[in-house]
Amino acid sequence: MEPEENNAERTVKKLLADMQTRLQQIQLGGGKKAIEKQHEKNKLTARERLEYLLDKETPFVEIGAFAGYEMYEEQGGCPAGGTVAGIGWVSGRQCVVVANDQTVKAGAWFPITGKKNLRMQEIALENRLPVVYLVDSAGVFLPMQDEIFPDKEHFGRIFRNNAVMSAQGITQIAAVMGSCVAGGAYLPIMSDETLMVEGNGSVFLAGPYLVRAAIGENIDAETLGGATTHTEISGIADYKFATEQECMDQIKSILSKLGTRPTAGFDRVGSRAPAKDPATLYSILPADAAKPYDMVEIIERMVDAAADDKDRSSFEQFKEDYGKTIVCGYARLEGWAIGIVANQRKIVKNKRGEMQMGGVIYNDSADKAARFILNCNQKRIPLLFLQDVTGFMVGSRSEHAGIIKDGAKMVNAVANSVVPKFTCIIGNSYGAGNYAMCGKAYDPRLIFAWPTAKIAVMGGDQAAKTLLQIQVAGMKAKGKEVPAQDEQALLEEIRSRYEKQTSVYYAAARLWVDGIIDPLETRRLIAEGIKAANQNPVIAELKTGVFQV
C-alpha cells in the first residue's frame, strides 16, 4: 500500500490540474472566434490590455476568475463574469484594475458582472487604492435586466461608489476603448479623468438605433459620441488617442505622478523563506477530507522562518496548551507581522484529559480565539484566518457549558475587528464555523479557497441524511411506503445535489470567495493583500459592544 501522504499529494495535484484546465477555458473569454473579431477591429482583448498596462514582473492578484462559472448556460455563459479584474501594479503604484471583456456578449453586464464590479470597488474603498477602468461594454444584458438594474446592490450602486470614492480622494481613471452606452456611460464620466480611443471608443446615453427610433434623427456612432465629439465638442472626455497602447501609456503617465499618502504603518521587516519547504504542503492535506492532520505543519510552510534561525518558523503560538482545536499565534509573512487564527484538524486532548475532534470549535477554543483577535486589534496586527472547520461542538455538555455564549463572543470579536482580515478556506467551511472564522459575511479584505475547500451549512453526508429523514417522514405521513432501495436511491440523489452546491467552483462562481488558488500561492497573495491594506491609514477605534462573559 502507498503511504497516505503520496495519495494526498496526488489528490491535490489532480485537483490543481483540473483547476488549471478550467481556468484556461475561462481565459479564452467568448472563445477564439470572438478574440479574432476583436483583433480585426484593431482592439486588444481584456487580458491583453492588462498585460500591456501592468508593470512587468510584478504580482497580479486576479479577483473573480471563476465568477459566473456554469451559472448562465442557457444564455451562452459568462466567463469570469464578463470582466477581468484584480489588484496589480501600474507605474509602481498598487491599483485596482477592471477591464470589460467585449468577447463575452459584447461586454454586457450580467447580474454576476455587477456583483464583481461592486466587489472591486469595495476593495478599492477599503484599501484606498486607485482604480483603472478599461471600458468596452454594451451595457446591461437586457434579458436579465430585473436582476441587475433596480436594487441596492445592482448596477446603479457602481455610479454611487464612483461619487463616494471621488469624495474620499481615491483616484479613478477610465479609458473608453469600445462601446459605453446608456447607464454605463456614467462610469467613465464620473471618473476623475476620461481617455478615449479614436474609431472604437464611444459614449452616449442612447445609440444611433435608439436615437432614430426615439426622435427620428439619423446619425452614426462616431459623430454621436466618438472620441473627437467628446474631446472637441461636448468636453466630456479629457484625452483621445489613435491606439489603445497610446491610451494606456497615458494611464501609466497619470499614475506615475500621484503623490504619496500616509500608510497604516503595519510592521514589516525583511522577508525570509519559510523554514519548511512549501512544496510539501501538498502532502499534508489528507486525501480523505475527514482525516486529521496538523494545521501547524501547514502554517510553518506558509510563514517566514524566524529571524534568528532559518530552520525554525517565525510562528509563535498564543495559549498553546489551551483551547487546542483552534491554533492562534503571531508570525511574519513576507516580512509583514500577522496574527493567525486556524482550525486545528488533528485530534487533541483538552485540559481534563478528554479527546476533542479536530476541526470542531469547543468552548475553550472559541474563548481563546476571541481573546487573540482583540490582542491583534490592540497591537494593530492584520489577521489571517485559515478555515477547515466543521462547526461548533454540539450536545448537552457543550450546551450546558454555554457554547452559544462562547461562540457569540468569538463572532463578536471577528465582526468588530478593525484591523484588516484575510481568509483562506483550506478544507471544510461549515455552518456557524464559517462565520466565526471570518467567512465572506464578515468582510475579509480578501478571501481565497484551495481546490480542496467545501462551503455549506453542514457536510454532504449529514445534510443528505437529515433531508432524507424529513422527506421520508413526509411521505410516510401521507401513507406512502418507502422501500429500502427507494430510500437509498433518494439518499444518493439528495447527496449528489447537495455536493454540487458545496463545491468550491459553485462558491467561486457566486463570488463567495475571491478566487480558487494553488496552496503555494497563498503566501504571496496574502502578502499583496497586506500591502494593499497598508495603503489605508484610517483604522477605526475597536468597540465590541455587548456580549456575555
Side-chain angles (χ1 to χ4, degrees), residues 157-224:
R157 187 77 174 182
I158 290 163
F159 315 134
R160 175 265 185 192
N161 287 348
N162 287 142
V164 169
M165 285 192 286
S166 184
Q168 293 186 11
I170 298 172
T171 298
Q172 298 172 87
I173 301 169
V176 181
M177 298 178 160
S179 178
C180 185
V181 64
Y186 286 103
L187 183 145
I189 309 311
M190 293 189 73
S191 298
D192 299 338
E193 297 190 70
T194 305
L195 299 74
M196 294 186 71
V197 177
E198 293 179 278
N200 283 325
S202 59
V203 179
F204 31 62
L205 293 181
Y209 294 114
L210 183 53
V211 167
R212 188 178 302 120
I215 63 174
E217 181 183 2
N218 288 309
I219 191 168
D220 63 88
E222 189 65 21
T223 306
L224 181 63

Side-chain angles (χ1 to χ4, degrees), residues 290-304:
K291 289 191 175 180
Y293 64 89
D294 188 352
M295 180 62 83
V296 175
E297 292 293 328
I298 297 279
I299 294 170
E300 289 181 339
R301 285 160 175 79
M302 192 180 298
V303 302
D304 294 4

Side-chain angles (χ1 to χ4, degrees), residues 203-508:
V203 179
F204 31 62
L205 293 181
Y209 294 114
L210 183 53
V211 167
R212 188 178 302 120
I215 63 174
E217 181 183 2
N218 288 309
I219 191 168
D220 63 88
E222 189 65 21
T223 306
L224 181 63
T228 299
T229 294
H230 286 314
T231 55
E232 297 182 14
I233 301 174
S234 73
I236 282 175
D238 306 306
Y239 312 89
K240 66 177 177 181
F241 301 93
T243 68
E244 293 188 2
Q245 289 84 349
E246 291 173 349
C247 181
M248 289 186 284
D249 286 341
Q250 181 65 25
I251 294 173
K252 295 177 185 181
S253 177
I254 294 169
L255 288 173
S256 72
K257 297 177 179 66
L258 293 186
T260 58
R261 295 177 181 269
T263 66
F266 300 129
D267 187 66
R268 192 183 193 191
V269 299
S271 176
R272 296 171 65 88
K276 296 183 179 179
D277 183 5
T280 56
L281 271 174
Y282 296 157
S283 61
I284 296 174
L285 284 171
D288 181 350
K291 289 191 175 180
Y293 64 89
D294 188 352
M295 180 62 83
V296 175
E297 292 293 328
I298 297 279
I299 294 170
E300 289 181 339
R301 285 160 175 79
M302 192 180 298
V303 302
D304 294 4
D308 58 350
D309 185 355
K310 69 176 184 179
D311 296 322
R312 181 171 61 84
S313 169
S314 63
F315 184 57
E316 301 167 352
Q317 285 204 53
F318 172 82
K319 290 184 182 288
E320 182 175 357
D321 298 319
Y322 177 76
K324 295 181 181 180
T325 64
I326 286 185
V327 174
C328 299
Y330 304 102
R332 289 198 179 271
L333 192 148
E334 290 204 357
W336 294 100
I338 194 164
I340 297 175
V341 180
N343 302 112
Q344 176 58 281
R345 280 305 309 268
K346 72 178 183 180
I347 298 170
V348 298
K349 189 180 290 186
N350 70 9
K351 57 193 175 186
R352 292 186 293 272
E354 301 164 334
M355 303 309 292
Q356 293 182 328
M357 293 183 290
V360 178
I361 303 176
Y362 290 77
N363 297 73
D364 51 0
S365 48
D367 178 72
K368 176 174 85 171
R371 176 66 178 270
F372 179 73
I373 290 164
L374 296 181
N375 268 341
C376 287
N377 276 267
Q378 184 89 331
K379 298 172 183 175
R380 290 202 169 191
I381 298 175
L383 283 159
L384 171 62
F385 293 81
L386 301 176
Q387 287 197 16
D388 193 347
V389 58
T390 53
F392 286 86
M393 190 58 189
V394 297
S396 60
R397 182 167 185 168
S398 289
E399 297 291 359
H400 295 171
I403 187 64
I404 298 175
K405 174 188 67 178
D406 290 325
K409 191 188 327 182
M410 181 177 173
V411 169
N412 192 307
V414 173
N416 287 298
S417 176
V418 294
V419 296
K421 306 183 292 271
F422 302 89
T423 301
C424 188
I425 303 173
I426 290 174
N428 303 315
S429 181
Y430 294 156
N434 170 281
Y435 303 153
M437 291 296 294
C438 197
K440 179 71 170 178
Y442 289 77
D443 295 329
R445 294 291 178 97
L446 293 172
I447 177 169
F448 296 113
W450 290 4
T452 46
K454 289 182 179 294
I455 303 172
V457 172
M458 64 179 74
D461 283 338
Q462 303 98 306
K465 288 174 183 176
T466 302
L467 291 168
L468 176 68
Q469 290 177 46
I470 294 169
Q471 288 195 25
V472 169
M475 293 164 75
K476 287 182 177 178
K478 295 176 181 178
K480 296 180 181 178
E481 289 299 319
V482 185
Q485 63 269 27
D486 290 354
E487 193 170 314
Q488 184 61 34
L490 184 57
L491 176 63
E492 291 303 319
E493 189 273 328
I494 294 171
R495 181 185 286 121
S496 175
R497 185 174 68 245
Y498 193 87
E499 286 290 343
K500 181 180 179 181
Q501 294 178 358
T502 67
S503 160
V504 68
Y505 294 104
Y506 192 92

